[in-house]
């Protein structure tokens, strides 16, 4: 009879350990993955007034984005609902019908999402006549994210996904 309890305890231990391994191996999305999806969705669903770069107004063609989250505040947030600001990078293409990626209008650069507003606020880093791009980046981003933003863009995986999604939206695949 004691062996049955021991086997039951062993089975429960193995199931619990497997659950922990699956969760850490991608069984449940982590906060960075959830924020990446939220950033992508926000940028792709934004209105032309919200998603401007140097005066560019997106038309009716879908905007397809690849994003990379550099960090967020507060840094100790346990869930998306606690995050107020997301710092990252975006590369978006306007998917005009049958328009290849290489000639598509693109919107790119470091971006800040203000998740404390409804709709989510979008700020892109752009130079002005008075402020150089590098100075503007340092003004808008905390130092630890500004340094990353100067050197890193999309991962290879994110870029490949962006191109695949763009081709589909533009009717090329």
């Amino acid at each position: 009879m004691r062996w049955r309890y021991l086997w039951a305890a062993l089975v429960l231990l193995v199931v619990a350990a497997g659950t922990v391994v699956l969760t850490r191996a991608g069984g449940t999305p982590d906060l960075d993955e959830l924020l990446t999806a939220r950033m992508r969705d926000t940028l792709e669903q934004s209105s032309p007034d919200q998603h401007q770069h140097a005066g560019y107004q997106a038309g009716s063609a879908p905007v397809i984005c690849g994003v990379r989250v550099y960090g967020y505040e507060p840094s100790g947030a346990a869930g998306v609902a606690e995050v107020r600001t997301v710092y990252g990078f975006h590369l978006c293409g306007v998917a005009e019908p049958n328009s290849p990626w290489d000639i598509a209008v693109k919107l790119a650069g470091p971006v800040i999402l203000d998740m404390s507003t409804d709709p989510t606020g979008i700020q892109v880093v752009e130079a002005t006549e008075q402020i150089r791009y590098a100075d503007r980046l340092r003004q808008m981003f905390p130092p630890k994210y500004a340094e990353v933003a100067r050197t890193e863009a999309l991962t290879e995986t994110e870029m490949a996904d962006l191109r695949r999604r763009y081709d589909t939206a533009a009717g090329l695949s």
Side-chain angles (χ1 to χ4, degrees):
M1 184 118 166
R2 286 189 320 183
W3 288 106
R4 243 191 318 187
Y5 290 120
L6 184 59
W7 282 110
L10 183 61
V11 167
L12 288 174
L13 180 63
V14 168
V15 169
T19 301
V20 168
V21 168
L22 284 176
T23 299
R24 289 188 179 166
T28 303
D30 67 4
L31 185 54
D32 284 343
E33 290 171 343
L34 293 171
L35 291 173
T36 296
R38 175 80 178 265
M39 180 183 281
R40 182 182 304 112
D41 291 346
T42 297
L43 293 168
E44 290 182 349
Q45 296 169 10
S46 63
S47 72
D49 290 338
Q50 293 170 305
H51 200 267
Q52 291 185 33
H53 282 263
Y56 175 77
Q57 295 279 331
S60 61
V63 176
I64 307 300
C65 299
V67 300
R68 182 170 184 181
V69 172
Y70 294 144
Y72 50 86
E73 292 177 351
S75 60
V80 173
E82 294 177 16
V83 175
R84 299 186 55 76
T85 308
V86 180
Y87 300 94
F89 178 86
H90 76 302
L91 171 58
C92 302
V94 180
E96 297 286 343
N98 300 312
S99 179
W101 174 259
D102 292 343
I103 63 169
V105 172
K106 296 178 188 72
L107 314 168
V111 64
I112 300 170
L113 295 187
D114 180 353
M115 295 179 48
S116 67
T117 63
D118 187 22
T120 301
I122 302 168
Q123 289 182 292
V124 294
V125 177
E126 292 185 310
T128 66
E129 287 182 23
Q130 298 81 23
I131 303 172
R132 297 176 335 151
Y133 175 83
D135 295 334
R136 185 72 178 132
L137 178 65
R138 283 193 296 274
Q139 287 176 349
M140 294 176 68
F141 274 59
K144 64 183 174 181
Y145 304 135
E147 187 56 37
V148 175
R150 288 175 13 92
T151 60
E152 296 183 28
L154 299 183
T155 64
E156 286 184 35
T157 302
E158 184 70 20
M159 187 66 199
D161 182 59
L162 169 60
R163 292 291 301 268
R164 181 190 53 74
R165 292 175 53 246
Y166 175 89
D167 287 348
T168 299
L172 300 171
S173 63

